[in-house]
Amino acid sequence: MSRKEWPLWEVFIRGQHGLNHRHVGSLHAPDAEMAIHHARDVYTRRKEGVSIWVVKSNDITASSPSEKGPLFDPAETKAYRHPTFFDIPDEVGHM
Amino acid sequence: MYAQMVKSEGMKSRDEMSPEELAFQDRIDRGEKIEPKEWMPEGYRKTLIRQIGQHAHSEIVGQLPEGNWITRAPTLERKAILLAKVQDEAGHGLYLYSAAETLGVSRDDLMEKLHSGAMKYSSIFNYPTLNWADMGAVGWLVDGAAIMNQVPLQRTSYGPYSRAMIRICKEESFHQRQGYAIMMKMAAGTPAQKEMAQDALNRFWYPSLMMFGPSDAESVHSAQSMAWKIKINTNDELRQKFVDQTVPQAHYLGLSIPDENLRWNEEKGGYDFSEPDWSEFFEVIKGNGPCNRERLGARVKAWDDGEWFREGLYAHAEKAAHRRMAATTAAE
């Protein structure tokens, strides 16, 4: 009896309305083709999508939780990157 | 619930906590989600594996009592609906196994623990489903009780668990409603059909109340799990909520709850009701319920019988990968 477990895959689904593929979860499958089949059964039983991507979990490189500060804190002081930072007088109209 | 009597690892007061543990608890208190690779106390991780694993097992074993009736559904439509529901349970089990795997345990390990009896599944699935009315009672009561617990768990502190619960809750409401629709049909049918519906309610009422587990108001395990936000309400709170919600639904069907002590209590704004027989609950948990051996036997058989198929797919995948590699090398 072999004790080999099918590898883990991450599943991304594009919804009906042309948005990006979105991570929805993961599953086990022996290969990419079966992963797509499984993803259809596990994650799109109610027409949640029109396209599926699968990628081996091992092939994903993730930022580490300890890098959270250096990576994301700098954006905190840059409120001017948002349109609401700028007050435009009502007389100017919609902008 | 789908996870019953999950033991938490020791409760610590703030003075006993290490700086890391304090920071962790503060994050939870602020409502932040804990994600897989972040630091967490070992007890939090272990308790979650037990809880999510047991929950997943319940979804998987929970397919069996209903699977029993797929081939005997009264109409093609009912059959298609029941099939869809059972397929959902499989999906729910898979979402939850994935969530548990983010904590560093493999799905095959969890399966093995289920099959060896080292991990449990909900007591409710050790009761038999004797006739079609039971499909109504299971959907209405069992899924109804599960929803009581799952809705608050959408806010649980562990990100992957919370996301799995959100997906599950979206789908679970269909389960309860299809069950109630079966009960409506039978309760409005011939006297014999109505009697079947009443009989199913009689048999599933107390086992459904047991799903929430014995009172844990005084339990340290429960207090720790609540501090970690992997348990949101006490068992008694959820049981009371379930009774208050279900009694009017039974009245609408013209069925009666099998409890002489059931009474509206104006003061607490809820029903007073009889406790289930907890000695029966502990017997079922120990493995002596009406269907424990049958359920686990069916699981083990399905796993063992599927082995050649799982291996076949693996072998095919490896062969195809080698062929692709050989083709690439030849092309270079």
PDB file of all heavy atoms in Angstrom, chain A residues 1-6 8 26 28 30-31 42-43 45-46 65 68, chain B residues 38 88 95 98 101 106-108 112 171 174 307 310-311 314 317-318:
ATOM      1  N   MET A   1       0.843  -1.201   0.000  1.00  0.00           N
ATOM      2  CA  MET A   1       0.000   0.000   0.000  1.00  0.00           C
ATOM      3  C   MET A   1       0.879   1.251   0.000  1.00  0.00           C
ATOM      4  O   MET A   1       1.680   1.446   0.906  1.00  0.00           O
ATOM      5  CB  MET A   1      -0.880  -0.015   1.245  1.00  0.00           C
ATOM      6  CG  MET A   1      -2.080   0.865   1.105  1.00  0.00           C
ATOM      7  SD  MET A   1      -3.278   0.556   2.426  1.00  0.00           S
ATOM      8  CE  MET A   1      -2.867   1.846   3.563  1.00  0.00           C
ATOM      9  N   SER A   2       0.758   2.069  -1.000  1.00  0.00           N
ATOM     10  CA  SER A   2       1.582   3.268  -1.037  1.00  0.00           C
ATOM     11  C   SER A   2       0.915   4.372  -0.231  1.00  0.00           C
ATOM     12  O   SER A   2      -0.286   4.416  -0.097  1.00  0.00           O
ATOM     13  CB  SER A   2       1.784   3.734  -2.479  1.00  0.00           C
ATOM     14  OG  SER A   2       0.822   4.695  -2.835  1.00  0.00           O
ATOM     15  N   ARG A   3       1.726   5.253   0.309  1.00  0.00           N
ATOM     16  CA  ARG A   3       1.184   6.317   1.153  1.00  0.00           C
ATOM     17  C   ARG A   3       1.399   7.677   0.492  1.00  0.00           C
ATOM     18  O   ARG A   3       1.684   8.647   1.145  1.00  0.00           O
ATOM     19  CB  ARG A   3       1.843   6.289   2.537  1.00  0.00           C
ATOM     20  CG  ARG A   3       1.619   5.058   3.293  1.00  0.00           C
ATOM     21  CD  ARG A   3       0.459   5.228   4.278  1.00  0.00           C
ATOM     22  NE  ARG A   3      -0.832   5.062   3.635  1.00  0.00           N
ATOM     23  CZ  ARG A   3      -1.887   5.801   3.861  1.00  0.00           C
ATOM     24  NH1 ARG A   3      -1.832   6.822   4.663  1.00  0.00           N
ATOM     25  NH2 ARG A   3      -3.033   5.551   3.264  1.00  0.00           N
ATOM     26  N   LYS A   4       1.302   7.675  -0.825  1.00  0.00           N
ATOM     27  CA  LYS A   4       1.560   8.925  -1.527  1.00  0.00           C
ATOM     28  C   LYS A   4       0.283   9.743  -1.600  1.00  0.00           C
ATOM     29  O   LYS A   4      -0.756   9.247  -2.032  1.00  0.00           O
ATOM     30  CB  LYS A   4       2.055   8.617  -2.942  1.00  0.00           C
ATOM     31  CG  LYS A   4       3.452   9.137  -3.179  1.00  0.00           C
ATOM     32  CD  LYS A   4       3.851   8.999  -4.625  1.00  0.00           C
ATOM     33  CE  LYS A   4       4.187   7.573  -5.005  1.00  0.00           C
ATOM     34  NZ  LYS A   4       4.415   7.362  -6.416  1.00  0.00           N
ATOM     35  N   GLU A   5       0.386  10.975  -1.161  1.00  0.00           N
ATOM     36  CA  GLU A   5      -0.799  11.830  -1.198  1.00  0.00           C
ATOM     37  C   GLU A   5      -0.767  12.672  -2.465  1.00  0.00           C
ATOM     38  O   GLU A   5       0.294  13.139  -2.873  1.00  0.00           O
ATOM     39  CB  GLU A   5      -0.820  12.727   0.042  1.00  0.00           C
ATOM     40  CG  GLU A   5      -2.139  13.420   0.253  1.00  0.00           C
ATOM     41  CD  GLU A   5      -2.247  14.059   1.647  1.00  0.00           C
ATOM     42  OE1 GLU A   5      -1.195  14.285   2.275  1.00  0.00           O
ATOM     43  OE2 GLU A   5      -3.362  14.320   2.089  1.00  0.00           O
ATOM     44  N   TRP A   6      -1.925  12.849  -3.076  1.00  0.00           N
ATOM     45  CA  TRP A   6      -1.999  13.738  -4.240  1.00  0.00           C
ATOM     46  C   TRP A   6      -1.539  15.133  -3.835  1.00  0.00           C
ATOM     47  O   TRP A   6      -1.877  15.596  -2.741  1.00  0.00           O
ATOM     48  CB  TRP A   6      -3.445  13.834  -4.731  1.00  0.00           C
ATOM     49  CG  TRP A   6      -3.950  12.615  -5.416  1.00  0.00           C
ATOM     50  CD1 TRP A   6      -3.252  11.545  -5.838  1.00  0.00           C
ATOM     51  CD2 TRP A   6      -5.329  12.349  -5.746  1.00  0.00           C
ATOM     52  NE1 TRP A   6      -4.079  10.625  -6.430  1.00  0.00           N
ATOM     53  CE2 TRP A   6      -5.366  11.102  -6.382  1.00  0.00           C
ATOM     54  CE3 TRP A   6      -6.513  13.056  -5.583  1.00  0.00           C
ATOM     55  CZ2 TRP A   6      -6.550  10.539  -6.853  1.00  0.00           C
ATOM     56  CZ3 TRP A   6      -7.691  12.494  -6.036  1.00  0.00           C
ATOM     57  CH2 TRP A   6      -7.709  11.247  -6.677  1.00  0.00           C
ATOM     58  N   LEU A   8      -1.193  19.276  -3.545  1.00  0.00           N
ATOM     59  CA  LEU A   8      -2.192  20.314  -3.292  1.00  0.00           C
ATOM     60  C   LEU A   8      -2.129  21.371  -4.399  1.00  0.00           C
ATOM     61  O   LEU A   8      -1.049  21.750  -4.842  1.00  0.00           O
ATOM     62  CB  LEU A   8      -1.882  20.948  -1.934  1.00  0.00           C
ATOM     63  CG  LEU A   8      -2.977  21.782  -1.272  1.00  0.00           C
ATOM     64  CD1 LEU A   8      -4.185  20.924  -0.938  1.00  0.00           C
ATOM     65  CD2 LEU A   8      -2.432  22.452  -0.005  1.00  0.00           C
ATOM     66  N   SER A  26      -8.383  25.538  -2.140  1.00  0.00           N
ATOM     67  CA  SER A  26      -7.408  24.589  -2.658  1.00  0.00           C
ATOM     68  C   SER A  26      -8.008  23.195  -2.705  1.00  0.00           C
ATOM     69  O   SER A  26      -9.105  22.965  -2.188  1.00  0.00           O
ATOM     70  CB  SER A  26      -6.157  24.609  -1.785  1.00  0.00           C
ATOM     71  OG  SER A  26      -6.512  24.533  -0.428  1.00  0.00           O
ATOM     72  N   HIS A  28      -6.827  18.686  -3.581  1.00  0.00           N
ATOM     73  CA  HIS A  28      -5.819  17.695  -3.956  1.00  0.00           C
ATOM     74  C   HIS A  28      -6.196  17.084  -5.294  1.00  0.00           C
ATOM     75  O   HIS A  28      -7.375  16.807  -5.542  1.00  0.00           O
ATOM     76  CB  HIS A  28      -5.781  16.564  -2.924  1.00  0.00           C
ATOM     77  CG  HIS A  28      -5.147  16.968  -1.638  1.00  0.00           C
ATOM     78  ND1 HIS A  28      -3.791  16.943  -1.452  1.00  0.00           N
ATOM     79  CD2 HIS A  28      -5.674  17.428  -0.484  1.00  0.00           C
ATOM     80  CE1 HIS A  28      -3.508  17.351  -0.225  1.00  0.00           C
ATOM     81  NE2 HIS A  28      -4.645  17.653   0.394  1.00  0.00           N
ATOM     82  N   PRO A  30      -4.144  14.543  -8.658  1.00  0.00           N
ATOM     83  CA  PRO A  30      -2.884  13.936  -9.118  1.00  0.00           C
ATOM     84  C   PRO A  30      -2.175  14.782 -10.168  1.00  0.00           C
ATOM     85  O   PRO A  30      -0.956  14.769 -10.235  1.00  0.00           O
ATOM     86  CB  PRO A  30      -3.326  12.589  -9.695  1.00  0.00           C
ATOM     87  CG  PRO A  30      -4.783  12.733  -9.987  1.00  0.00           C
ATOM     88  CD  PRO A  30      -5.312  13.723  -8.993  1.00  0.00           C
ATOM     89  N   ASP A  31      -2.926  15.483 -11.017  1.00  0.00           N
ATOM     90  CA  ASP A  31      -2.274  16.336 -12.018  1.00  0.00           C
ATOM     91  C   ASP A  31      -3.180  17.522 -12.354  1.00  0.00           C
ATOM     92  O   ASP A  31      -4.290  17.626 -11.842  1.00  0.00           O
ATOM     93  CB  ASP A  31      -1.918  15.536 -13.289  1.00  0.00           C
ATOM     94  CG  ASP A  31      -3.142  14.881 -13.929  1.00  0.00           C
ATOM     95  OD1 ASP A  31      -4.272  15.356 -13.671  1.00  0.00           O
ATOM     96  OD2 ASP A  31      -2.973  13.896 -14.673  1.00  0.00           O
ATOM     97  N   VAL A  42     -15.850  21.066  -7.051  1.00  0.00           N
ATOM     98  CA  VAL A  42     -15.803  21.563  -5.677  1.00  0.00           C
ATOM     99  C   VAL A  42     -16.154  23.045  -5.593  1.00  0.00           C
ATOM    100  O   VAL A  42     -16.790  23.483  -4.649  1.00  0.00           O
ATOM    101  CB  VAL A  42     -14.411  21.308  -5.042  1.00  0.00           C
ATOM    102  CG1 VAL A  42     -14.351  21.845  -3.613  1.00  0.00           C
ATOM    103  CG2 VAL A  42     -14.099  19.818  -5.036  1.00  0.00           C
ATOM    104  N   TYR A  43     -15.763  23.828  -6.603  1.00  0.00           N
ATOM    105  CA  TYR A  43     -15.897  25.275  -6.459  1.00  0.00           C
ATOM    106  C   TYR A  43     -16.863  25.959  -7.435  1.00  0.00           C
ATOM    107  O   TYR A  43     -17.036  27.162  -7.371  1.00  0.00           O
ATOM    108  CB  TYR A  43     -14.514  25.943  -6.542  1.00  0.00           C
ATOM    109  CG  TYR A  43     -13.648  25.600  -5.346  1.00  0.00           C
ATOM    110  CD1 TYR A  43     -12.566  24.726  -5.453  1.00  0.00           C
ATOM    111  CD2 TYR A  43     -13.946  26.133  -4.090  1.00  0.00           C
ATOM    112  CE1 TYR A  43     -11.790  24.405  -4.349  1.00  0.00           C
ATOM    113  CE2 TYR A  43     -13.179  25.814  -2.985  1.00  0.00           C
ATOM    114  CZ  TYR A  43     -12.106  24.953  -3.116  1.00  0.00           C
ATOM    115  OH  TYR A  43     -11.343  24.634  -2.018  1.00  0.00           O
ATOM    116  N   ARG A  45     -20.238  24.641  -8.326  1.00  0.00           N
ATOM    117  CA  ARG A  45     -21.510  23.912  -8.422  1.00  0.00           C
ATOM    118  C   ARG A  45     -22.695  24.831  -8.677  1.00  0.00           C
ATOM    119  O   ARG A  45     -23.763  24.388  -9.029  1.00  0.00           O
ATOM    120  CB  ARG A  45     -21.760  23.096  -7.146  1.00  0.00           C
ATOM    121  CG  ARG A  45     -20.839  21.908  -6.985  1.00  0.00           C
ATOM    122  CD  ARG A  45     -21.342  20.967  -5.905  1.00  0.00           C
ATOM    123  NE  ARG A  45     -21.451  21.612  -4.612  1.00  0.00           N
ATOM    124  CZ  ARG A  45     -20.416  21.872  -3.812  1.00  0.00           C
ATOM    125  NH1 ARG A  45     -19.205  21.542  -4.188  1.00  0.00           N
ATOM    126  NH2 ARG A  45     -20.600  22.453  -2.653  1.00  0.00           N
ATOM    127  N   ARG A  46     -22.505  26.121  -8.427  1.00  0.00           N
ATOM    128  CA  ARG A  46     -23.625  27.056  -8.608  1.00  0.00           C
ATOM    129  C   ARG A  46     -23.268  28.166  -9.592  1.00  0.00           C
ATOM    130  O   ARG A  46     -23.553  29.327  -9.348  1.00  0.00           O
ATOM    131  CB  ARG A  46     -24.030  27.640  -7.258  1.00  0.00           C
ATOM    132  CG  ARG A  46     -24.739  26.615  -6.388  1.00  0.00           C
ATOM    133  CD  ARG A  46     -25.048  27.155  -5.011  1.00  0.00           C
ATOM    134  NE  ARG A  46     -25.782  26.187  -4.224  1.00  0.00           N
ATOM    135  CZ  ARG A  46     -25.249  25.127  -3.634  1.00  0.00           C
ATOM    136  NH1 ARG A  46     -23.962  24.899  -3.752  1.00  0.00           N
ATOM    137  NH2 ARG A  46     -25.997  24.293  -2.943  1.00  0.00           N
ATOM    138  N   PRO A  65       4.915  36.825   6.620  1.00  0.00           N
ATOM    139  CA  PRO A  65       4.212  37.694   7.553  1.00  0.00           C
ATOM    140  C   PRO A  65       5.146  38.697   8.239  1.00  0.00           C
ATOM    141  O   PRO A  65       4.728  39.804   8.551  1.00  0.00           O
ATOM    142  CB  PRO A  65       3.639  36.721   8.587  1.00  0.00           C
ATOM    143  CG  PRO A  65       3.606  35.391   7.917  1.00  0.00           C
ATOM    144  CD  PRO A  65       4.701  35.402   6.906  1.00  0.00           C
ATOM    145  N   LYS A  68       5.560  42.153   6.633  1.00  0.00           N
ATOM    146  CA  LYS A  68       4.350  42.966   6.524  1.00  0.00           C
ATOM    147  C   LYS A  68       4.656  44.456   6.687  1.00  0.00           C
ATOM    148  O   LYS A  68       4.223  45.276   5.880  1.00  0.00           O
ATOM    149  CB  LYS A  68       3.376  42.534   7.614  1.00  0.00           C
ATOM    150  CG  LYS A  68       1.947  42.337   7.147  1.00  0.00           C
ATOM    151  CD  LYS A  68       1.125  42.043   8.392  1.00  0.00           C
ATOM    152  CE  LYS A  68      -0.108  41.258   8.175  1.00  0.00           C
ATOM    153  NZ  LYS A  68      -0.663  40.806   9.466  1.00  0.00           N
TER     154      LYS A  68
ATOM    155  N   GLU B  38       1.407  32.912  10.101  1.00  0.00           N
ATOM    156  CA  GLU B  38       1.702  33.817  11.202  1.00  0.00           C
ATOM    157  C   GLU B  38       1.898  33.040  12.506  1.00  0.00           C
ATOM    158  O   GLU B  38       1.424  31.916  12.655  1.00  0.00           O
ATOM    159  CB  GLU B  38       0.550  34.826  11.344  1.00  0.00           C
ATOM    160  CG  GLU B  38       0.467  35.720  10.128  1.00  0.00           C
ATOM    161  CD  GLU B  38      -0.800  36.550  10.090  1.00  0.00           C
ATOM    162  OE1 GLU B  38      -1.719  36.299  10.889  1.00  0.00           O
ATOM    163  OE2 GLU B  38      -0.860  37.433   9.243  1.00  0.00           O
ATOM    164  N   ASP B  88     -22.947  18.649  -2.029  1.00  0.00           N
ATOM    165  CA  ASP B  88     -22.526  19.820  -1.249  1.00  0.00           C
ATOM    166  C   ASP B  88     -21.782  19.393   0.015  1.00  0.00           C
ATOM    167  O   ASP B  88     -20.784  19.999   0.391  1.00  0.00           O
ATOM    168  CB  ASP B  88     -23.746  20.647  -0.814  1.00  0.00           C
ATOM    169  CG  ASP B  88     -24.157  21.691  -1.857  1.00  0.00           C
ATOM    170  OD1 ASP B  88     -23.464  21.828  -2.877  1.00  0.00           O
ATOM    171  OD2 ASP B  88     -25.180  22.364  -1.629  1.00  0.00           O
ATOM    172  N   TYR B  95     -13.652  21.721   1.714  1.00  0.00           N
ATOM    173  CA  TYR B  95     -13.236  23.085   2.111  1.00  0.00           C
ATOM    174  C   TYR B  95     -12.579  23.030   3.484  1.00  0.00           C
ATOM    175  O   TYR B  95     -11.578  23.690   3.754  1.00  0.00           O
ATOM    176  CB  TYR B  95     -14.407  24.070   2.259  1.00  0.00           C
ATOM    177  CG  TYR B  95     -15.374  24.217   1.114  1.00  0.00           C
ATOM    178  CD1 TYR B  95     -16.679  24.649   1.352  1.00  0.00           C
ATOM    179  CD2 TYR B  95     -15.009  23.965  -0.196  1.00  0.00           C
ATOM    180  CE1 TYR B  95     -17.593  24.808   0.324  1.00  0.00           C
ATOM    181  CE2 TYR B  95     -15.921  24.122  -1.228  1.00  0.00           C
ATOM    182  CZ  TYR B  95     -17.213  24.539  -0.960  1.00  0.00           C
ATOM    183  OH  TYR B  95     -18.132  24.701  -1.956  1.00  0.00           O
ATOM    184  N   SER B  98      -9.131  21.409   3.648  1.00  0.00           N
ATOM    185  CA  SER B  98      -8.139  22.372   3.148  1.00  0.00           C
ATOM    186  C   SER B  98      -7.786  23.371   4.241  1.00  0.00           C
ATOM    187  O   SER B  98      -6.618  23.729   4.414  1.00  0.00           O
ATOM    188  CB  SER B  98      -8.664  23.162   1.956  1.00  0.00           C
ATOM    189  OG  SER B  98      -8.962  22.311   0.897  1.00  0.00           O
ATOM    190  N   GLU B 101      -5.552  21.794   6.666  1.00  0.00           N
ATOM    191  CA  GLU B 101      -4.207  21.553   6.121  1.00  0.00           C
ATOM    192  C   GLU B 101      -3.305  22.768   6.227  1.00  0.00           C
ATOM    193  O   GLU B 101      -2.088  22.627   6.294  1.00  0.00           O
ATOM    194  CB  GLU B 101      -4.305  21.105   4.658  1.00  0.00           C
ATOM    195  CG  GLU B 101      -4.715  19.650   4.536  1.00  0.00           C
ATOM    196  CD  GLU B 101      -4.714  19.193   3.090  1.00  0.00           C
ATOM    197  OE1 GLU B 101      -5.504  19.728   2.291  1.00  0.00           O
ATOM    198  OE2 GLU B 101      -3.913  18.310   2.750  1.00  0.00           O
ATOM    199  N   SER B 106      -1.791  16.824   7.238  1.00  0.00           N
ATOM    200  CA  SER B 106      -2.189  16.416   5.887  1.00  0.00           C
ATOM    201  C   SER B 106      -3.581  15.802   5.916  1.00  0.00           C
ATOM    202  O   SER B 106      -4.012  15.253   6.928  1.00  0.00           O
ATOM    203  CB  SER B 106      -1.182  15.439   5.289  1.00  0.00           C
ATOM    204  OG  SER B 106      -1.497  14.120   5.689  1.00  0.00           O
ATOM    205  N   ARG B 107      -4.262  15.886   4.781  1.00  0.00           N
ATOM    206  CA  ARG B 107      -5.623  15.370   4.721  1.00  0.00           C
ATOM    207  C   ARG B 107      -5.648  13.858   4.941  1.00  0.00           C
ATOM    208  O   ARG B 107      -6.522  13.341   5.620  1.00  0.00           O
ATOM    209  CB  ARG B 107      -6.264  15.709   3.371  1.00  0.00           C
ATOM    210  CG  ARG B 107      -7.738  15.361   3.335  1.00  0.00           C
ATOM    211  CD  ARG B 107      -8.382  15.831   2.059  1.00  0.00           C
ATOM    212  NE  ARG B 107      -8.066  14.967   0.935  1.00  0.00           N
ATOM    213  CZ  ARG B 107      -8.412  15.234  -0.334  1.00  0.00           C
ATOM    214  NH1 ARG B 107      -9.051  16.342  -0.623  1.00  0.00           N
ATOM    215  NH2 ARG B 107      -8.091  14.400  -1.299  1.00  0.00           N
ATOM    216  N   ASP B 108      -4.649  13.180   4.371  1.00  0.00           N
ATOM    217  CA  ASP B 108      -4.597  11.730   4.549  1.00  0.00           C
ATOM    218  C   ASP B 108      -4.425  11.353   6.025  1.00  0.00           C
ATOM    219  O   ASP B 108      -4.984  10.366   6.488  1.00  0.00           O
ATOM    220  CB  ASP B 108      -3.468  11.121   3.709  1.00  0.00           C
ATOM    221  CG  ASP B 108      -3.876  11.009   2.231  1.00  0.00           C
ATOM    222  OD1 ASP B 108      -4.979  11.507   1.900  1.00  0.00           O
ATOM    223  OD2 ASP B 108      -3.103  10.448   1.441  1.00  0.00           O
ATOM    224  N   GLU B 112      -6.960   9.120   8.157  1.00  0.00           N
ATOM    225  CA  GLU B 112      -6.518   7.943   8.882  1.00  0.00           C
ATOM    226  C   GLU B 112      -7.011   7.985  10.330  1.00  0.00           C
ATOM    227  O   GLU B 112      -7.436   6.977  10.890  1.00  0.00           O
ATOM    228  CB  GLU B 112      -4.988   7.907   8.858  1.00  0.00           C
ATOM    229  CG  GLU B 112      -4.427   6.506   8.880  1.00  0.00           C
ATOM    230  CD  GLU B 112      -2.935   6.539   8.593  1.00  0.00           C
ATOM    231  OE1 GLU B 112      -2.582   6.474   7.413  1.00  0.00           O
ATOM    232  OE2 GLU B 112      -2.150   6.670   9.550  1.00  0.00           O
ATOM    233  N   GLU B 171     -24.259  27.913   1.137  1.00  0.00           N
ATOM    234  CA  GLU B 171     -24.881  26.750   0.509  1.00  0.00           C
ATOM    235  C   GLU B 171     -25.831  26.018   1.457  1.00  0.00           C
ATOM    236  O   GLU B 171     -26.736  25.315   1.018  1.00  0.00           O
ATOM    237  CB  GLU B 171     -23.785  25.796   0.028  1.00  0.00           C
ATOM    238  CG  GLU B 171     -22.889  26.479  -0.988  1.00  0.00           C
ATOM    239  CD  GLU B 171     -21.707  25.643  -1.466  1.00  0.00           C
ATOM    240  OE1 GLU B 171     -21.405  24.609  -0.858  1.00  0.00           O
ATOM    241  OE2 GLU B 171     -21.081  26.058  -2.437  1.00  0.00           O
ATOM    242  N   PHE B 174     -29.916  26.242   1.587  1.00  0.00           N
ATOM    243  CA  PHE B 174     -30.632  25.361   0.640  1.00  0.00           C
ATOM    244  C   PHE B 174     -30.942  24.024   1.307  1.00  0.00           C
ATOM    245  O   PHE B 174     -32.043  23.488   1.169  1.00  0.00           O
ATOM    246  CB  PHE B 174     -29.786  25.208  -0.634  1.00  0.00           C
ATOM    247  CG  PHE B 174     -29.802  23.844  -1.312  1.00  0.00           C
ATOM    248  CD1 PHE B 174     -30.991  23.253  -1.720  1.00  0.00           C
ATOM    249  CD2 PHE B 174     -28.611  23.171  -1.567  1.00  0.00           C
ATOM    250  CE1 PHE B 174     -30.984  22.010  -2.360  1.00  0.00           C
ATOM    251  CE2 PHE B 174     -28.601  21.938  -2.201  1.00  0.00           C
ATOM    252  CZ  PHE B 174     -29.801  21.352  -2.587  1.00  0.00           C
ATOM    253  N   GLU B 307      -8.694   2.926  -3.324  1.00  0.00           N
ATOM    254  CA  GLU B 307      -7.238   3.051  -3.354  1.00  0.00           C
ATOM    255  C   GLU B 307      -6.641   2.788  -4.747  1.00  0.00           C
ATOM    256  O   GLU B 307      -5.804   3.554  -5.227  1.00  0.00           O
ATOM    257  CB  GLU B 307      -6.608   2.083  -2.354  1.00  0.00           C
ATOM    258  CG  GLU B 307      -5.103   2.118  -2.468  1.00  0.00           C
ATOM    259  CD  GLU B 307      -4.413   1.857  -1.152  1.00  0.00           C
ATOM    260  OE1 GLU B 307      -5.073   1.934  -0.111  1.00  0.00           O
ATOM    261  OE2 GLU B 307      -3.224   1.572  -1.197  1.00  0.00           O
ATOM    262  N   ARG B 310      -7.226   5.882  -6.845  1.00  0.00           N
ATOM    263  CA  ARG B 310      -6.344   7.015  -6.508  1.00  0.00           C
ATOM    264  C   ARG B 310      -4.937   6.752  -7.033  1.00  0.00           C
ATOM    265  O   ARG B 310      -4.293   7.631  -7.594  1.00  0.00           O
ATOM    266  CB  ARG B 310      -6.293   7.214  -4.983  1.00  0.00           C
ATOM    267  CG  ARG B 310      -7.585   7.723  -4.375  1.00  0.00           C
ATOM    268  CD  ARG B 310      -7.386   8.187  -2.923  1.00  0.00           C
ATOM    269  NE  ARG B 310      -6.893   7.144  -2.043  1.00  0.00           N
ATOM    270  CZ  ARG B 310      -7.666   6.249  -1.429  1.00  0.00           C
ATOM    271  NH1 ARG B 310      -8.972   6.270  -1.615  1.00  0.00           N
ATOM    272  NH2 ARG B 310      -7.136   5.343  -0.644  1.00  0.00           N
ATOM    273  N   GLU B 311      -4.475   5.526  -6.849  1.00  0.00           N
ATOM    274  CA  GLU B 311      -3.124   5.186  -7.296  1.00  0.00           C
ATOM    275  C   GLU B 311      -3.019   5.188  -8.806  1.00  0.00           C
ATOM    276  O   GLU B 311      -2.008   5.613  -9.362  1.00  0.00           O
ATOM    277  CB  GLU B 311      -2.739   3.811  -6.764  1.00  0.00           C
ATOM    278  CG  GLU B 311      -2.660   3.838  -5.264  1.00  0.00           C
ATOM    279  CD  GLU B 311      -1.541   2.969  -4.764  1.00  0.00           C
ATOM    280  OE1 GLU B 311      -1.193   1.998  -5.445  1.00  0.00           O
ATOM    281  OE2 GLU B 311      -1.029   3.283  -3.677  1.00  0.00           O
ATOM    282  N   TYR B 314      -2.641   8.622  -9.982  1.00  0.00           N
ATOM    283  CA  TYR B 314      -1.303   9.106  -9.649  1.00  0.00           C
ATOM    284  C   TYR B 314      -0.279   8.564 -10.651  1.00  0.00           C
ATOM    285  O   TYR B 314       0.565   9.298 -11.164  1.00  0.00           O
ATOM    286  CB  TYR B 314      -0.921   8.668  -8.224  1.00  0.00           C
ATOM    287  CG  TYR B 314       0.058   9.595  -7.572  1.00  0.00           C
ATOM    288  CD1 TYR B 314      -0.288  10.295  -6.422  1.00  0.00           C
ATOM    289  CD2 TYR B 314       1.336   9.795  -8.108  1.00  0.00           C
ATOM    290  CE1 TYR B 314       0.599  11.171  -5.825  1.00  0.00           C
ATOM    291  CE2 TYR B 314       2.228  10.673  -7.527  1.00  0.00           C
ATOM    292  CZ  TYR B 314       1.861  11.354  -6.388  1.00  0.00           C
ATOM    293  OH  TYR B 314       2.727  12.227  -5.804  1.00  0.00           O
ATOM    294  N   ALA B 317      -0.576  10.293 -13.890  1.00  0.00           N
ATOM    295  CA  ALA B 317      -0.027  11.656 -13.816  1.00  0.00           C
ATOM    296  C   ALA B 317       1.504  11.616 -13.907  1.00  0.00           C
ATOM    297  O   ALA B 317       2.114  12.429 -14.608  1.00  0.00           O
ATOM    298  CB  ALA B 317      -0.464  12.324 -12.523  1.00  0.00           C
ATOM    299  N   GLU B 318       2.119  10.652 -13.217  1.00  0.00           N
ATOM    300  CA  GLU B 318       3.580  10.567 -13.238  1.00  0.00           C
ATOM    301  C   GLU B 318       4.102  10.205 -14.620  1.00  0.00           C
ATOM    302  O   GLU B 318       5.077  10.768 -15.104  1.00  0.00           O
ATOM    303  CB  GLU B 318       4.052   9.531 -12.213  1.00  0.00           C
ATOM    304  CG  GLU B 318       4.088  10.107 -10.821  1.00  0.00           C
ATOM    305  CD  GLU B 318       4.699   9.166  -9.815  1.00  0.00           C
ATOM    306  OE1 GLU B 318       4.597   7.928 -10.009  1.00  0.00           O
ATOM    307  OE2 GLU B 318       5.263   9.665  -8.827  1.00  0.00           O
TER     308      GLU B 318
END
